[in-house]
Amino acid sequence: MADCSNETVELLTGRDAAGPEAERPGRRRSSALRIALAVVVPLALLASVAAVSALASRGPGRETSRPSDGVALSAEYDSYVASGPFKCTGTWAAIAPGQGDANVWRCLGGACVQASCRCDGNFDCMDQSDESGCDSGDGTTQSAVSFGGGGAASRQDGDGAASQDVGGGTFTYAPSPATEPVPVPVPAPAPPAPPGSSSSNSMSFPLASSWQPPPPAEPSSTGSGCYESGGFKYQEVWRAQGYTFFDSFNYLLNDANAGAAQYLTKEDATEKQVTVAYDNHAIIRAGPKAGQMKRASAKLETKTKWTYFFMAAKFNHVPWGCGVWPAFWTHSPEAAWPNGGELDILEYSNEIASRSSFHCGLTNKCKLDAGLMHKPGCPKYIDAEFNFTGDFQCVTHYPAMIGCAPNRLPLRSGEELSMKPFISAVEWTPNYVKLFHIPASEAPSDLEAGEPQPDNYDRWVTSYFPFAASEQKRPGSCPNPGQVMKAQQLVLSLGFCGDWASKVWLNSTCANTQGPRLPEECVAVDPHNPMGEIPAGPRDCCTAFIHDQYDQYGSDEYLSKRAYFNVSWVKVFQHADRRLKGRGGLFA
């Protein structure tokens, strides 16, 4: 095999590796229905200096560091990234599929490979198109990979140039000279895309995308020993509440998910009433049309970070509905994603139910022990990744490794969550993470008093990550449980469409109930495999509905009734022997 890996590291850790604000490269990943289908992104990209620099660019006073072992770490992913495809960014994003320059060649599926990997006799593109049109040495050329569906067709022109019509565009590439090496045979092509989809990935969702298995039988009572206990009594160290709610947040501007959101500055969000603070609650809502096929929105990140804490947020309403992609999550500014850890507290799109998940890298690797998730007499936790068939592996490297999501079923949709006010809470200790869903009407008195004791909240646990206990049961599975996450910031975002809601639109209840008709007027575009379509473009069903350029779908009214957060407060607590050392710092 041609050694493209060194060139990949050199290019991706240097120039043009990412945009100026790629704040969570490869992310959003957190949910099975979109992450399992994402394009392969090498760890070199995830750890690139551009991505780390992007973290620093999102606000003043940020602590960042460039990992010194990026090249060595990427070697550990040899079975996944070797010389394989990576996301086309910067100037490479302008290269048409089936074309290339001196550095890269773009696969028909949309990913990039090194130029030296083109016609080297090895399949480097996931769709094998890097070996299509190459001379076999006997005067014939390899056939182009046919994607089928959506009107795709292949043809051979009179001058020997091969073309493929895919949806809205034609990709052309000429046969290689007769001196090229002999490629290996081309395996059978991937299944064709269903009508109305830009990607065969949509065939992975034969059921409605809101499907979930029936919950296992619950124990009559939660016995002792189901969960670890920290024994901590917490004290409040930070809060966002009232008229100054938004003063505690940075406003992030980039959309890393190729979606239809145009995130606004604090000044613009205030002017357009996308973010509004009142005396007893704050609103983050879908705003008016903004920019080319975009809708105004907000992505908020706390100015402070914490190591080990209890966090609680009271929600009176959360966004829900077609094209909507809300998330309440944490990430770390101290390491390239996912080596700082990411915890998804609430996240969902369209009518898909929310699930909690965790993502880490090889430097902070962790696999949870399945036996701890299914203790006799205790609530059962199902890994919701891979359509509820995950194995509790939290290491994330898309698409083969997408993190862990141990959830207690049934999962709740955004519509269901909005029926009654609730408190979403997280406890992170050196040994474990617990997530809680507490009905506001049952709020514990110690939490209301500002001194929560979450050891008493086990009946409300919805997701459980026993890092230390997993390591004890299987040494080496989670070798540094106390450092599996670096200091975390809270993020509250309201996104639209992109590489989740758009991709699964075909198999959601939104198709042909909201927006243009599918497939006559639109397609469900997968941004990582657009097949000639434009991600977040006018032919994408989800984007066309959310933007509603000509006010023909009633999207303004639809979103005004559904797509908003109403949050009373967000509070962070720490136990007595840990206190703030100034903005973003801690000491024991």
Side-chain angles (χ1 to χ4, degrees):
M1 172 179 288
D3 183 9
C4 306
S5 56
N6 290 337
E7 297 175 65
T8 302
V9 171
E10 177 184 352
L11 285 166
L12 295 182
T13 58
R15 56 193 180 278
D16 268 334
E21 285 187 304
E23 127 271 349
R24 35 193 331 209
R27 143 100 180 128
R28 291 294 191 230
R29 357 216 227 87
S30 343
S31 166
L33 291 181
R34 64 190 196 290
I35 300 176
L37 303 176
V39 69
V40 174
V41 181
L43 186 63
L45 174 60
L46 302 179
S48 70
V49 61
V52 178
S53 297
L55 287 167
S57 71
R58 282 173 282 143
R62 316 307 281 274
E63 297 181 27
T64 61
S65 60
R66 177 177 178 177
S68 60
D69 59 344
V71 174
L73 183 59
S74 68
E76 295 190 62
Y77 276 122
D78 57 347
S79 63
Y80 294 100
V81 303
S83 57
F86 55 87
K87 186 175 182 179
C88 302
T89 57
T91 58
W92 302 332
I95 298 175
Q99 302 292 328
D101 61 17
N103 292 318
V104 304
W105 191 83
R106 192 163 192 182
C107 310
L108 290 182
C112 280
V113 296
Q114 298 306 309
S116 60
C117 297
R118 169 76 170 130
C119 294
D120 66 349
N122 299 286
F123 297 121
D124 298 288
C125 293
M126 295 291 288
D127 55 24
Q128 303 157 8
S129 58
D130 58 307
E131 298 304 311
S132 295
C134 299
D135 193 276
S136 63
D138 59 0
T140 62
T141 58
Q142 295 286 354
S143 300
V145 177
S146 174
F147 286 86
S154 298
R155 64 177 180 269
Q156 191 81 11
D157 295 335
D159 60 359
S163 299
Q164 185 173 22
D165 295 321
V166 188
T170 299
F171 306 142
T172 303
Y173 43 91
S176 302
T179 55
E180 289 292 324
V182 178
V184 295
V186 178
S197 170
S198 77
S199 171
S200 60
N201 288 343
S202 295
M203 296 192 73
S204 298
F205 302 102
L207 302 171
S209 56
S210 59
W211 178 85
Q212 57 179 298
E218 285 285 302
S220 55
S221 63
T222 301
S224 60
C226 291
Y227 308 105
E228 297 174 83
S229 297
F232 300 125
K233 183 177 182 180
Y234 291 89
Q235 298 176 345
E236 184 179 316
V237 296
W238 181 93
R239 76 162 63 185
Q241 187 175 13
Y243 289 112
T244 62
F245 183 95
F246 296 107
D247 293 348
S248 301
F249 292 89
N250 298 314
Y251 281 64
L252 307 182
L253 302 181
N254 75 302
D255 181 2
N257 306 120
Q262 180 169 311
Y263 295 120
L264 303 180
T265 64
K266 183 177 182 181
E267 294 73 22
D268 287 343
T270 301
E271 178 185 352
K272 297 181 185 298
Q273 296 192 316
V274 170
T275 57
V276 185
Y278 300 91
D279 60 342
N280 60 358
H281 69 283
I283 298 292
I284 303 98
R285 62 161 63 95
K289 299 177 184 66
Q292 180 65 28
M293 301 303 296
K294 301 289 185 181
R295 186 169 288 272
S297 190
K299 180 190 291 187
L300 309 176
E301 171 198 73
T302 58
K303 295 178 179 178
T304 308
K305 61 183 179 180
W306 302 272
T307 302
Y308 308 137
F309 56 79
F310 177 80
M311 183 283 303
K314 182 184 177 184
F315 291 99
N316 306 302
H317 187 278
V318 293
W320 62 274
C322 293
V324 175
W325 181 353
F328 184 34
W329 49 287
T330 77
H331 70 167
S332 177
E334 297 186 350
W337 187 91
N339 295 320
E342 174 190 315
L343 181 66
D344 296 308
I345 304 166
L346 298 171
E347 188 179 18
Y348 50 94
S349 72
N350 298 336
E351 78 278 38
I352 299 169
S354 179
R355 72 279 320 274
S356 304
S357 60
F358 176 69
H359 307 271
C360 60
L362 284 179
T363 59
N364 56 334
K365 69 177 182 178
C366 191
K367 181 176 182 179
L368 304 178
D369 182 75
L372 297 173
M373 302 288 99
H374 303 99
K375 287 184 177 180
C378 297
K380 302 297 188 293
Y381 288 85
I382 308 299
D383 189 342
E385 303 293 23
F386 292 108
N387 276 338
F388 302 93
T389 63
D391 63 354
F392 304 104
Q393 173 60 265
C394 303
V395 173
T396 303
H397 182 66
Y398 306 127
M401 307 170 75
I402 63 176
C404 57
N407 283 257
R408 188 173 177 178
L409 301 181
L411 305 179
R412 299 175 178 89
S413 68
E415 183 177 9
E416 291 169 328
L417 289 169
S418 293
M419 289 179 177
K420 295 180 180 179
F422 66 96
I423 296 169
S424 182
V426 175
E427 184 185 25
W428 172 30
T429 77
N431 291 338
Y432 60 83
V433 167
K434 293 179 185 176
L435 277 70
F436 310 85
H437 176 92
I438 306 172
S441 59
E442 301 176 26
S445 58
D446 54 5
L447 175 57
E448 294 185 324
E451 295 183 339
Q453 299 182 47
D455 285 352
N456 300 323
Y457 301 171
D458 284 355
R459 66 184 180 277
W460 294 306
V461 174
T462 56
S463 189
Y464 179 43
F465 301 84
F467 300 132
S470 296
E471 173 64 15
Q472 290 173 355
K473 283 198 68 175
R474 297 182 182 275
S477 62
C478 193
N480 297 295
Q483 288 78 46
V484 72
M485 290 195 289
K486 297 185 182 294
Q488 299 287 300
Q489 295 167 288
L490 303 174
V491 184
L492 190 62
S493 56
L494 174 52
F496 307 115
C497 303
D499 56 16
W500 189 5
S502 284
K503 179 190 300 183
V504 301
W505 186 275
L506 176 69
N507 298 305
S508 74
T509 58
C510 303
N512 294 326
T513 63
Q514 304 294 337
R517 297 290 301 176
L518 182 153
E520 297 89 351
E521 301 173 340
C522 68
V523 293
V525 178
D526 177 357
H528 294 293
N529 189 12
M531 295 179 65
E533 299 292 346
I534 302 174
R539 277 178 49 79
D540 175 50
C541 300
C542 181
T543 301
F545 169 67
I546 288 294
H547 184 64
D548 196 5
Q549 184 173 4
Y550 301 109
D551 300 319
Q552 62 192 115
Y553 307 124
S555 301
D556 287 345
E557 181 180 3
Y558 179 94
L559 295 171
S560 69
K561 293 179 179 179
R562 298 168 175 81
Y564 65 93
F565 286 103
N566 180 325
V567 54
S568 295
W569 43 258
V570 182
K571 301 177 183 179
V572 176
F573 306 81
Q574 293 185 300
H575 52 88
D577 61 347
R578 297 191 66 82
R579 58 191 186 278
L580 288 173
K581 189 185 71 173
R583 194 173 94 175
L586 289 167
F587 70 100

